C-alpha cells in the first residue's frame, strides 16, 4: 500500500523518496569511504559510526525495491516468503541500529567520564567484539518471528498498510490466535530496544553529572558538544520508532495516512539524516572529506573548515544600537501577524477554503524564512558575532533558497485558485478541495528542497581563500559562491537554471493566469461587476509584487551590481527577507473582512477570559 488518498500522485511523490534514498546511499557510502581512507579517524567513535552507516545502508536497501516499485510501476503484490525475509531484515537492522547507538553512548560516557581509561578499554578488538555481539543479538532474538508468522493462517484481506513488510502489520492479517506473536514481539522489543533506550538515557545522566563537575563553562560546552551528533541520531531513530510502535499497539482509530507517514519517517529519515548530522557536527569528518575532494581536484585548500564573516551596514556603525531595535520590531511584527493569520484560519471553519489554506502555507513559510535569518542577524548587531561556520552558512543558505522556492510555488497556486474561481466558478469546489490543497503544499515543499539541495553540495568541495567577507548579514548562494578561489561555473549555471525553472517559470505562469483572468473580467457587462471580481485579486497581486520585486532587485544587484555600494546589497537583502513576511499578513488582514472579524473576535474572547 502506498500513501492513502494520494495514489494519483505516486509518480510525483516518488521524487522526494528517490532523493532521500539517494542521499542515504551516497551519504553513508561517503562516511565509510572517509573513515577507511583517514587513519586519524580509526578510533572507537568512528568505528561505531561505520557500523551505523552500514546498518542504515541495509535499511535503505531493504525498503527501496518495494517502495519505488509501488510508486513507479504500481507493483503492490509481494510473495509470502519475500515478505517474511524483508520483515526479518528490517527488524534485525533496526535492533542492530539501536544497539550501535547504545555502544556509541557508552563510548561518549567513557571519553568524558573516564578519559584516561577510554583507549585502554575500547580497543580495536573490543570494538570488533561489540559489533559481533550486536549482530548476534539481533539475529538470534528475532529468529523465531518468521516461524511464528508462518504457522498462522491468512484469509480475507491481505493488504498491508505500508509499502514494506512489518511484523505487527502481517500479524494483524492472520485469522487465527496471535497471542504468542504479540507477547513474543512485545518481550523482544522491550528487552532489546527498550533496554537500549534506558541505558542511553542513563549514560547521558552520568555524562551530565560529570560535565557539571567541570570548573569552567567553556569546558562544559566543549564536552557536551562532542555528544550533540549522537543525541540527534538517537532522537531521529527512537522518536519515530516509539511513535510507530504506539500507533500499531493502540492507534486503531488513527488515520491510515498518519500511520504511513510515521512508518516512512522511521525507516527512511534516519539513514538519510545520520550522515548529514555527523558531517556537519564532526570537524574531523568534514576536514577529511574536504581534503579528499581537494586531492581529487588537484587543488590546495588553505583552510579545510572555512568560516565566513557576516556584514553589517557599512558607515553606520554608530547606529548599531538602534538598528537592531528596528529589525527586532519588524521580526516580532512578522511573527505576530503571521501567527494571527494561522490562528484565525484554524479557529474559523468558514475560512477553510483553498485561498485561506494557501495563505496559511504562505504565513508558515514567511515565519520559517524570517526565523532562519533574523535571529542570526540580531546576534551580529547585539553580540558582535560576525563569524559563521561553513556548515551553518550552507544550512542557512539552503533554507533561504528552498523556502523562497516554496513561497513562489504557493503564490502560483494562489494565482491558479483565483483563475479557477473567476473563470470556472462552478468547477472551483470540485477542482480545489482540501485534499488537492494539501497535495499542492507537499509539492511546493518537495520542489523547493529538490531544486535547491544541489546548491550547498556544489559549494561543499570548493576551496575558499581571501578575507571571506559576505555582503549580507546572512548567507546567500551567489554571495558564498563569489568567495571561492576555484572554478564556479557549475554553481553559476545550476543556480541560474534553478532560479529560472522555479521562480522564473512561476512568475510567467502567474502573469499568464492574470491575463486570462483579465480577459474573463473584461467580458462582464457592468463596471461594478468587473471591479467586484477583480477586487478579489488585489491582495494576491500585492503579495506577488512584495515577493518578486525584492527578489528581482536582489538578483540584479548580485549579477550586475558589483560596483554598487555595499550598503545597497545589505538593504536589498533585508528587504527581500523581511518585507514579504511583514506585509503579507497585513495585506490580507486589510483586504479580507473575514480574517479581520475572526482576529477581532479572538481578541475579545481573550479579553473576556477570567484572570
Amino acid at each position: 500500500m502506498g500513501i492513502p488518498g494520494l495514489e494519483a500522485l505516486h509518480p510525483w511523490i516518488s521524487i522526494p523518496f528517490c532523493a532521500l534514498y539517494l542521499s542515504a546511499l551516497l551519504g553513508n557510502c561517503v562516511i565509510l569511504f572517509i573513515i577507511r581512507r583517514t587513519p586519524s579517524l580509526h578510533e572507537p567513535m568512528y568505528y561505531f559510526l561505520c557500523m551505523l552507516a552500514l546498518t542504515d545502508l541495509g535499511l535503505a536497501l531493504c525498503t527501496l525495491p518495494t517502495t519505488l516499485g509501488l510508486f513507479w510501476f504500481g507493483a503492490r503484490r509481494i510473495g509470502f516468503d519475500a515478505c517474511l525475509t524483508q520483515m526479518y531484515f528490517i527488524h534485525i537492522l533496526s535492533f542492530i541500529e539501536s544497539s550501535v547507538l547504545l555502544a556509541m553512548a557508552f563510548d561518549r560516557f567513557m571519553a568524558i567520564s573516564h578519559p584516561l581509561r577510554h583507549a585502554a578499554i575500547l580497543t580495536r578488538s573490543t570494538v570488533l567484539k561489540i559489533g559481533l555481539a550486536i549482530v548476534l543479538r539481533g539475529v538470534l532474538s528475532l529468529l523465531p518471528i518468521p516461524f511464528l508468522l508462518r504457522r498462522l493462517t491468512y484469509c480475507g484481506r491481505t493488504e498491508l498498510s505500508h509499502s514494506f513488510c512489518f511484523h505487527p502489520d502481517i500479524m494483524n492479517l492472520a485469522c487465527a490466535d496471535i497471542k504468542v506473536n504479540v507477547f513474543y514481539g512485545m518481550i523482544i522489543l522491550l528487552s532489546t530496544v527498550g533496554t537500549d533506550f534506558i541505558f542511553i538515557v542513563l549514560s547521558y545522566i552520568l555524562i551530565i553529572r560529570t560535565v557539571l563537575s567541570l570548573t569552567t563553562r567553556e569546558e562544559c560546552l566543549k564536552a557536551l558538544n562532542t555528544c550533540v551528533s549522537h543525541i540527534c541520531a538517537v532522537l531521529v531513530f527512537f522518536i519515530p520508532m516509539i511513535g510507530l510502535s504506539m500507533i500499531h499497539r493502540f492507534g486503531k482509530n488513527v488515520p491510515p495516512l498518519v500511520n504511513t507517514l510515521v512508518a516512512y519517517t522511521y525507516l527512511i529519515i534516519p539513514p538519510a539524516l545520520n550522515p548529514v548530522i555527523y558531517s556537519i557536527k564532526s570537524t574531523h569528518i568534514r576536514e577529511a572529506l574536504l581534503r579528499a575532494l581537494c586531492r581529487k581536484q588537484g587543488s590546495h585548500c588553505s583552510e579545510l573548515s572555512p568560516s565566513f564573516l557576516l556584514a553589517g551596514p557599512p558607515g553606520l556603525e554608530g547606529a548599531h544600537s538602534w538598528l537592531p531595535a528596528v529589525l527586532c520590531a519588524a521580526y516580532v511584527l512578522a511573527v505576530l501577524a503571521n501567527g494571527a493569520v494561522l490562528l484565525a484560519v484554524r479557529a474559523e471553519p468558514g475560512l477553510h477554503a483553498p485561498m485561506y489554506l494557501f495563505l496559511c502555507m504562505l504565513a508558515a513559510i514567511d515565519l520559517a524564512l524570517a526565523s532562519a535569518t533574523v535571529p542570526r542577524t540580531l546576534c551580529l548587531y547585539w553580540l558582535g558575532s560576525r563569524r559563521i561556520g561553513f556548515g551553518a552558512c550552507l544550512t542557512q543558505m539552503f533554507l533561504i533558497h528552498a523556502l523562497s522556492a516554496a513561497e513562489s510555488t504557493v503564490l502560483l497556486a494562489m494565482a491558479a485558485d483565483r483563475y479557477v474561481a473567476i473563470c470556472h466558478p462552478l468547477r472551483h469546489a470540485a477542482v480545489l478541495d482540501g485534499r488537492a490543497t494539501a497535495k499542492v503544499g507537499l509539492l511546493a515543499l518537495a520542489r523547493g528542497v529538490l531544486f535547491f539541495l544541489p546548491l550547498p553540495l556544489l559549494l561543499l568541495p570548493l576551496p575558499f581563500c581571501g578575507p571571506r567577507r559576505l555582503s549580507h548579514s546572512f548567507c546567500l548562494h551567489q554571495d558564498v559562491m563569489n568567495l571561492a578561489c576555484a572554478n564556479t561555473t557549475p554553481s553559476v549555471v545550476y543556480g541560474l537554471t534553478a532560479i529560472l525553472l522555479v521562480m522564473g517559470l512561476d512568475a510567467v505562469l502567474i502573469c499568464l493566469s492574470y491575463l486570462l483572468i483579465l480577459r474573463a473580467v473584461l467580458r462582464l457587462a457592468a463596471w461594478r461587476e468587473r471591479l467586484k471580481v477583480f477586487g478579489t485579486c488585489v491582495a494576491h497581486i500585492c503579495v506577488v509584487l512584495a515577493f518578486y520585486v525584492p527578489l528581482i532587485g536582489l538578483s540584479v544587484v548580485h549579477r550586475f551590481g558589483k560596483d554598487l555600494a555595499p550598503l545597497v546589497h545589505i538593504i536589498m537583502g533585508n528587504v527581500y527577507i523581511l518585507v514579504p513576511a511583514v506585509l503579507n499578513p497585513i495585506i490580507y488582514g486589510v483586504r479580507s473582512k473575514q480574517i479581520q472579524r475572526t482576529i477581532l473576535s479572538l481578541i475579545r474572547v481573550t479579553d473576556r477570559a477570567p484572570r
Side-chain angles (χ1 to χ4, degrees):
M1 183 176 179
I3 298 180
L6 301 177
E7 288 81 2
L9 287 179
H10 276 181
W12 289 102
I13 294 172
S14 69
I15 296 174
F17 275 85
C18 283
L20 287 171
Y21 277 122
L22 189 62
S23 173
L25 296 175
L26 290 178
N28 288 290
C29 287
V30 166
I31 292 288
L32 292 170
F33 173 77
I34 291 298
I35 294 176
R36 182 180 180 276
R37 291 288 299 271
T38 309
S40 62
L41 297 181
H42 294 174
E43 297 177 359
M45 180 177 73
Y46 297 107
Y47 288 140
F48 289 132
L49 181 57
C50 281
M51 297 179 195
L52 194 69
L54 285 171
T55 307
D56 285 337
L57 277 173
L59 272 174
L61 292 173
C62 276
T63 57
L64 184 146
T66 52
T67 301
L68 294 186
L70 174 64
F71 286 146
W72 284 346
F73 310 112
R76 301 183 62 190
R77 192 172 296 277
I78 183 172
F80 185 61
D81 291 334
C83 187
L84 290 183
T85 304
Q86 185 189 50
M87 177 215 69
Y88 182 59
F89 279 104
I90 287 174
H91 287 290
I92 280 180
L93 292 168
S94 298
F95 282 24
I96 289 174
E97 181 151 351
S98 171
S99 302
V100 171
L101 290 171
L102 172 60
M104 296 174 85
F106 177 70
D107 170 73
R108 290 298 84 210
F109 165 69
M110 291 300 301
I112 293 172
S113 300
H114 304 283
L116 298 178
R117 299 170 58 191
H118 179 252
I121 292 176
L122 284 173
T123 61
R124 186 176 298 184
S125 61
T126 304
V127 172
L128 181 60
K129 291 174 184 176
I130 291 173
L132 290 174
I134 287 171
V135 173
L136 286 174
R137 182 197 189 203
V139 170
L140 295 177
S141 61
L142 288 166
L143 190 59
I145 293 289
F147 297 102
L148 290 172
L149 288 173
R150 185 178 286 278
R151 70 182 180 85
L152 300 174
T153 55
Y154 299 88
C155 52
R157 184 177 64 90
T158 57
E159 185 181 58
L160 300 172
S161 56
H162 307 296
S163 59
F164 47 82
C165 296
F166 205 60
H167 175 244
D169 212 11
I170 302 172
M171 180 179 65
N172 290 332
L173 297 179
C175 47
D177 185 18
I178 58 172
K179 287 181 181 178
V180 176
N181 296 69
V182 171
F183 283 126
Y184 187 79
M186 181 70 76
I187 291 169
I188 290 298
L189 186 66
L190 293 177
S191 62
T192 53
V193 178
T195 306
D196 293 344
F197 183 73
I198 290 171
F199 278 115
I200 289 171
V201 173
L202 179 63
S203 69
Y204 272 104
I205 291 173
L206 297 175
I207 287 171
I208 290 172
R209 190 181 69 175
T210 303
V211 168
L212 292 177
S213 66
L214 297 175
T215 53
T216 63
R217 184 170 177 267
E218 289 74 17
E219 288 178 346
C220 293
L221 293 176
K222 185 178 179 181
L224 284 175
N225 192 49
T226 62
C227 303
V228 171
S229 299
H230 180 252
I231 292 171
C232 293
V234 167
L235 294 176
V236 164
F237 175 76
F238 278 101
I239 290 176
M241 187 180 200
I242 293 170
L244 186 62
S245 299
M246 291 297 104
I247 287 173
H248 271 289
R249 300 293 175 187
F250 311 111
K252 293 182 179 179
N253 297 322
V254 172
L257 180 61
V258 175
N259 189 2
T260 303
L261 292 178
V262 173
Y264 282 131
T265 302
Y266 163 56
L267 285 179
I268 299 176
I269 297 300
L273 280 189
N274 285 342
V276 176
I277 290 168
Y278 274 93
S279 298
I280 289 175
K281 286 302 297 178
S282 175
T283 306
H284 299 295
I285 291 178
R286 194 165 62 245
E287 288 180 354
L289 175 60
L290 293 174
R291 196 180 293 114
L293 291 169
C294 289
R295 280 199 301 267
K296 184 177 179 181
Q297 292 181 351
S299 61
H300 173 70
C301 296
S302 58
E303 189 177 342
L304 292 171
S305 185
S307 58
F308 301 99
L309 295 176
L310 301 173
L316 297 177
E317 287 76 9
H320 279 196
S321 58
W322 60 267
L323 274 177
V326 176
L327 190 65
C328 185
Y331 177 61
V332 170
L333 178 60
V335 170
L336 292 176
N338 285 288
V341 169
L342 291 170
L343 187 62
V345 175
R346 183 181 183 277
E348 177 55 50
L351 296 177
H352 294 176
M355 182 177 71
Y356 297 108
L357 295 177
F358 288 136
L359 180 58
C360 280
M361 297 178 197
L362 201 66
I365 292 169
D366 285 336
L367 277 173
L369 193 56
S371 298
T373 54
V374 177
R376 187 64 188 81
T377 304
L378 292 176
C379 288
L380 166 67
Y381 289 123
W382 282 337
L383 306 176
S385 176
R386 296 186 61 194
R387 193 171 296 278
I388 184 171
F390 187 55
C393 187
L394 291 187
T395 303
Q396 187 186 55
M397 180 199 76
F398 168 70
L399 288 174
I400 290 172
H401 290 290
L403 291 169
S404 298
E407 181 157 352
S408 175
T409 307
V410 172
L411 289 174
L412 174 60
M414 295 172 85
D417 170 74
R418 290 299 84 208
Y419 164 73
V420 176
I422 293 171
C423 300
H424 305 283
L426 298 179
R427 297 172 59 191
H428 181 252
V431 173
L432 285 170
D433 56 1
R435 182 174 294 178
T437 306
K439 293 175 184 177
V440 170
L442 289 173
L443 180 62
L445 191 60
R447 187 185 186 214
V449 170
L450 293 177
F451 268 95
F452 289 95
L453 184 60
L455 291 185
L457 299 179
L458 288 171
L459 292 177
L460 190 62
L462 296 178
F464 294 87
C465 48
R468 295 197 294 272
R469 290 191 181 92
L470 300 172
S471 57
H472 301 291
S473 56
F474 47 84
C475 297
L476 287 176
H477 175 247
Q478 304 96 319
D479 210 9
V480 178
M481 179 183 65
N482 291 334
L483 298 178
C485 46
N487 181 23
T488 60
T489 302
S491 293
V492 172
V493 172
Y494 185 83
L496 187 59
T497 304
I499 289 287
L500 292 176
L501 288 178
V502 179
M503 284 80 158
L505 181 61
D506 291 348
V508 171
L509 292 176
I510 289 171
C511 291
L512 179 62
S513 68
Y514 273 105
L515 288 175
L516 297 174
I517 288 171
L518 190 61
R519 187 180 68 174
V521 168
L522 293 176
R523 288 176 179 173
L524 299 174
W527 271 100
R528 184 170 294 177
E529 289 181 357
R530 295 180 184 179
L531 292 175
K532 182 181 178 180
V533 171
F534 203 75
T536 61
C537 303
V538 171
H540 180 253
I541 292 172
C542 293
V543 168
V544 167
L545 293 176
F547 175 77
Y548 279 102
V549 171
L551 174 64
I552 294 170
L554 186 62
S555 300
V556 170
V557 165
H558 269 289
R559 300 291 176 187
F560 311 108
K562 294 181 180 179
D563 298 328
L564 291 174
L567 183 61
V568 176
H569 287 260
I570 293 173
I571 291 174
M572 286 301 301
N574 288 324
V575 167
Y576 165 62
I577 293 294
L578 276 176
V579 165
V582 172
L583 286 186
N584 289 349
I586 296 175
I587 291 169
Y588 272 96
V590 170
R591 292 292 307 175
S592 174
K593 293 181 180 179
Q594 287 176 289
I595 292 179
Q596 288 178 25
R597 285 196 296 267
T598 305
I599 292 175
L600 290 174
S601 64
L602 288 173
I603 292 172
R604 292 193 194 101
V605 168
T606 305
D607 289 341
R608 293 173 185 172
R611 303 190 182 186

